[in-house]
Amino acid sequence: MIIINEDRLFFGGENGETITVTLKSLNTRHAVNAILDGAAKQMTSTGTQSGTLSFKLDMSQHDPSILLLFFQFFGPVGGGLYKVVIRGDKGPKTFTMVVDQLNSVATSKIFSFDVI
């Protein structure tokens, strides 16, 4: 996986590459919904405060693949955050970002994965 544009959350990967998204929460109950290419996806729990989602890039099905993550926050306003780590099994880059609660009870991010 490569990072095409970090600000626009736009990435690239090889056809057949497996992308893994790992999420960890802090100061909130872990609650993230995922929609990949228009279909809801179940995240695998890796603990009470973390989860993961893996998928393969398939040019014949989707180019680009679009991943929507909807982050929910519970607790005092401004106290929660999620750490997002995205990596491809073919490397060479890993992307990391923090999604802060700020003054919202929910926020979403859209990630695009172009097959190159």
Side-chain angles (χ1 to χ4, degrees):
M1 183 189 85
I2 61 169
I3 301 167
I4 296 172
N5 188 313
E6 188 171 314
D7 295 330
R8 293 186 182 190
L9 304 177
F10 190 47
F11 309 94
E14 294 180 29
N15 195 38
E17 182 169 5
T18 299
I19 304 297
T20 301
V21 179
T22 303
L23 304 166
K24 295 184 180 189
S25 57
L26 182 65
N27 296 328
T28 185
R29 181 168 54 89
H30 192 80
V32 180
N33 293 14
I35 298 175
L36 177 64
D37 297 322
K41 293 293 178 186
Q42 183 68 37
M43 299 194 75
T44 302
S45 176
T46 56
T48 57
Q49 295 297 111
S50 61
T52 188
L53 173 69
S54 292
F55 59 94
K56 279 191 186 273
L57 297 179
D58 184 348
M59 182 181 279
S60 68
Q61 298 294 315
H62 301 282
D63 189 21
S65 278
I66 305 296
L67 175 64
L68 168 67
L69 295 178
F70 183 74
F71 303 87
Q72 297 177 66
F73 296 96
F74 301 88
V77 173
L81 64 87
Y82 287 90
K83 180 180 177 185
V84 180
V85 178
I86 302 174
R87 60 176 52 98
D89 67 342
K90 305 208 188 245
K93 299 284 184 177
T94 297
F95 174 77
T96 305
M97 76 178 296
V98 172
V99 178
D100 292 309
Q101 182 177 6
L102 302 174
N103 293 323
S104 177
V105 296
T107 191
S108 62
K109 298 289 180 187
I110 298 173
F111 302 87
S112 297
F113 299 86
D114 196 20
V115 181
I116 53 174

